Amino acid sequence: MSAILEVENLELCYGVIQALKGISFHVNRGEIVSLIGANGAGKTSTLQTITGLIPSRGGRVLYKGKEITRAPGYTLVRQGLAHVPEGRRVFSSLSVYQNLMLGAYTRKKKSEIEESLSMIYQHFPRLLERKQQMAGTLSGGEQQMLAMGRALMSKPEMLVMDEPSMGLSPIYVNEIFSIIEKIHASGVTVLLVEQNAAKALSIADRAYVLETGRITIEGKASELLRDERVKAAYLSE
């Protein structure tokens, strides 16, 4: 398996606070890889650094073999790397359809954009029902679907997702994870940050545990589900 994403000794500081302390991991093409950990472990910071939203202090990030450590985030979308941010960040005063079309801003061929839109409405039939509705009036689960759909409109090779189940009811959580599996089955590689460790590990191929800016455990997701340290810290009821 070839790595589509390689992170090497990544460091990040917020003033005097070191948020990432030399973390290294990789994501192979066709995988779902999950980063799990407690609040404040550095999961969101990792994704934001990878996708160019925050500059790193040290280390390297390679995407498809090319260094992107200093690349602005907007240039990565054209290279096939899309980010679904924590908190959804939909454009509340725009319609569902307008939000989705903004996700396609890097693409030129109208026929291909329409094809992607049709595919997204198949994944998320609720978005089709509400396509003229203002995004700010959607429920939390529907906004999460919209954020995912908007990212998919760029036709990514790799999707980076930050806490997709945060604040959602159990029914929506199951629905969102089912959709992530469908997106993955369509050929998209997924890097998933998620506090719901049991759900994340249940769909991932491999996983890394992040604790206070360091990776402390890594392995097959199925093995981490059985790991006593992981069970005690993240899987207990």
Side-chain angles (χ1 to χ4, degrees), residues 36-54:
I36 63 173
N39 272 333
K43 305 185 303 296
T44 292
S45 295
T46 299
L47 296 193
Q48 291 180 334
T49 307
I50 288 169
T51 57
L53 299 178
I54 301 175

Side-chain angles (χ1 to χ4, degrees), residues 20-231:
L20 300 178
K21 302 167 183 174
I23 67 170
S24 299
F25 67 92
H26 69 280
V27 180
N28 293 319
R29 284 185 182 275
E31 283 189 313
I32 298 178
V33 170
S34 186
L35 294 179
I36 63 173
N39 272 333
K43 305 185 303 296
T44 292
S45 295
T46 299
L47 296 193
Q48 291 180 334
T49 307
I50 288 169
T51 57
L53 299 178
I54 301 175
S56 63
R57 193 185 77 166
R60 295 199 310 160
V61 180
L62 289 89
Y63 175 65
K64 296 193 289 191
K66 177 183 174 184
E67 185 165 354
I68 59 168
T69 315
R70 301 283 178 266
Y74 65 87
T75 66
L76 302 181
V77 179
R78 295 183 190 278
Q79 297 178 49
L81 180 60
H83 186 164
V84 181
E86 180 183 12
R88 296 137 205 166
R89 307 289 177 88
V90 299
F91 297 100
S92 59
S93 60
L94 298 179
S95 70
V96 166
Y97 172 78
Q98 288 169 325
N99 269 268
L100 291 173
M101 293 307 289
L102 280 172
Y105 80 96
T106 59
R107 302 175 65 189
K108 303 298 181 195
K109 291 189 178 179
K110 189 175 179 181
S111 61
E112 292 181 2
I113 293 171
E114 290 297 323
E115 189 179 311
S116 291
L117 190 62
S118 175
M119 178 270 292
I120 283 156
Y121 286 150
Q122 286 174 26
H123 278 315
F124 308 99
R126 212 161 292 142
L127 298 184
L128 176 59
E129 294 168 14
R130 290 159 170 68
K131 65 180 181 180
Q132 299 305 330
Q133 194 170 320
M134 294 299 106
T137 66
L138 300 177
S139 70
E142 290 163 350
Q143 287 189 14
Q144 185 61 55
M145 292 175 186
L146 180 55
M148 292 164 66
R150 183 180 59 193
L152 289 171
M153 283 297 291
S154 67
K155 204 172 183 182
E157 292 177 59
M158 181 171 181
L159 195 60
V160 172
M161 304 188 69
D162 195 356
E163 302 284 10
S165 77
M166 181 180 282
L168 302 186
S169 67
I171 291 172
Y172 268 127
V173 170
N174 290 335
E175 193 169 349
I176 290 295
F177 273 88
S178 174
I179 292 165
I180 293 170
E181 289 184 288
K182 288 177 185 174
I183 290 167
H184 172 248
S186 74
V188 179
T189 302
V190 178
L191 174 60
L192 174 65
V193 155
E194 179 57 58
Q195 264 196 289
N196 188 332
K199 276 286 186 188
L201 293 175
S202 73
I203 68 167
D205 297 294
R206 293 185 303 109
Y208 297 86
V209 177
L210 204 55
E211 294 179 11
T212 58
R214 290 189 173 89
I215 289 172
T216 55
I217 307 171
E218 60 183 270
K220 290 182 179 178
S222 57
E223 293 172 356
L224 264 62
L225 274 169
R226 299 191 299 271
D227 188 294
E228 292 303 325
R229 297 165 296 173
V230 175
K231 284 164 74 172

